[in-house]
Amino acid sequence: MRIDPNLSNVSAPSVSLDGTNIAFIRNGKVWAMNIDGSNPVQLFSSLGEFNNLTWSPDSKFIAAVRKSKLYNISLETLEMHEIEKSHLVDEESTLTWSY
C-alpha cells in the first residue's frame, strides 16, 4: 500500500476507527497523518524501531511493539508509556484493544 508518493519505506498502515487518521511505520518510527494524507508527523524520534500498530476504539491512542514490549502512545499529549504489566509480545502478533 502506498500512503503518500513523497514518503518512502512505509509499512504497517493502520486507519483509526473514527476514520480520521492513519498511523504507520516509516524507517522503524511511528508516524501519523490525517486520512487525506496531510500533516504527516513523526511521533517519536529517539527510540528504536517499532512495529505492529493498532488504534484504540476511541482513536485517541496507538499501541505499538518495540523489542517485544508494548507501548501506548497518546495522540493528545504525544506521550508514550510502556505497558509494564504486559507479557512479551511477539513482533509478528496482531494487537487488539480490550477494556
Side-chain angles (χ1 to χ4, degrees), residues 4-74:
D4 180 318
N6 298 314
L7 296 175
S8 60
N9 200 21
V10 172
S11 63
S14 179
V15 177
S16 63
L17 296 177
D18 66 5
T20 61
N21 294 288
I22 300 173
F24 55 94
I25 303 293
R26 180 175 186 224
N27 298 324
K29 308 299 182 194
V30 178
W31 287 64
M33 68 181 179
N34 297 332
I35 195 75
D36 65 2
S38 64
N39 196 30
V41 176
Q42 182 178 329
L43 300 179
F44 296 97
S45 60
S46 61
L47 293 177
E49 294 191 13
F50 285 88
N51 54 43
N52 293 16
L53 300 177
T54 192
W55 289 88
S56 65
D58 60 9
S59 300
K60 293 181 180 181
F61 299 91
I62 299 170
V65 176
R66 178 182 166 268
K67 293 187 176 181
S68 299
K69 294 183 179 179
L70 187 59
Y71 291 85
N72 185 23
I73 303 165
S74 168

